[in-house]
Amino acid sequence: FRHYEADLGFYLGAAREALGPVLDVGCGTGRVLLPCLAAGLDADGVDNSAELLERLRLNARARGLEPRVVLADMRDLRMPRRYACVMIPFNAFAHNLTSDDQLATLRRCHEHLLPGGRLVFDAFSATPAMVAEPLAAPVLELEVPHPDTGFPVRLYDGRRLDPATQTQHSQMEVQELDAAGGVARSHLFVAL
């Protein structure tokens, strides 16, 4: 999702307006954190995936940046300093599947805010029509060139909302195309 930029201006604006250190919770590969650092902002990141943080570090080195990132779960976050802005971009907050998880994350974020600091995050609100829909047929959501071959890589996603558990189930497929436009490789993922 490093090519998803629809919210990047919003988060960069929030980070600039904070006039102090920023924490990117669920920073992943650095989609928001690295542009913050490139803009000269004082920003740290946290994620619970060592693999994503390693990819972030590689992306940062390629751009001449040195991020401060910590491997941790957002529900039990312990950072060495406080922040003027704590942000949870994209759908990272949705990884908290229970009310207890959500409250734990919100408490940890609050504990890491400086007086007058702001918590900024995305929230999804499903309409009744969305909840009533069965699993949707996969839709092309993203097409980008493969970093090595330059051939298209396509992301398809089909979703179903479960009102009882208040979760979204996704069936995603990543297709790597060849020079002739055929599917060279396909990767199927099912996510809660």
Side-chain angles (χ1 to χ4, degrees):
F1 286 102
R2 71 180 178 156
H3 293 279
Y4 179 79
E5 296 181 350
D7 63 348
L8 192 52
F10 171 79
Y11 283 105
L12 279 172
R16 284 186 181 107
E17 290 171 10
L19 303 176
V22 175
L23 178 62
D24 182 355
V25 176
C27 63
T29 61
R31 185 184 68 85
V32 174
L33 180 61
L34 294 181
C36 286
L37 294 174
L41 300 173
D42 180 10
D44 297 338
V46 63
D47 201 282
N48 70 346
S49 169
E51 180 183 339
L52 293 180
L53 290 178
E54 183 55 33
R55 206 183 270 160
L56 181 150
R57 288 181 186 100
L58 291 172
N59 292 338
R61 275 186 229 126
R63 296 169 75 170
L65 301 170
E66 294 186 34
R68 291 179 308 269
V69 293
V70 172
L71 178 65
D73 188 305
M74 68 178 85
R75 297 168 298 179
D76 192 33
L77 181 59
R78 306 270 190 240
M79 298 297 285
R81 63 181 184 151
R82 302 297 174 251
Y83 301 89
C85 179
V86 173
M87 53 188 177
I88 313 173
F90 200 53
N91 289 321
F93 187 76
H95 289 276
N96 293 297
L97 297 179
T98 68
S99 295
D100 287 342
D101 290 344
Q102 293 165 357
L103 290 171
T105 295
L106 293 173
R107 280 188 201 100
R108 293 296 175 254
C109 290
H110 182 259
E111 291 169 3
H112 285 83
L113 284 171
L114 290 167
R118 295 189 304 171
L119 171 62
V120 182
F121 66 99
D122 286 308
F124 173 75
S125 180
T127 65
M130 293 168 78
V131 172
E133 290 290 320
L135 179 64
V139 174
L140 178 63
E141 290 205 348
L142 180 69
E143 183 173 320
V144 296
H146 190 283
D148 296 330
T149 66
F151 300 140
V153 176
R154 295 180 178 158
L155 170 67
Y156 291 88
D157 192 359
R159 297 186 181 115
R160 180 181 58 81
L161 299 175
D162 183 341
T165 60
Q166 297 183 24
T167 57
Q168 172 180 289
H169 302 265
S170 291
Q171 181 174 319
M172 296 171 277
E173 181 180 10
V174 176
Q175 295 179 349
E176 297 180 42
L177 304 187
D178 58 22
V183 177
R185 278 187 266 170
S186 176
H187 313 275
L188 187 62
F189 305 93
V190 177
L192 175 68

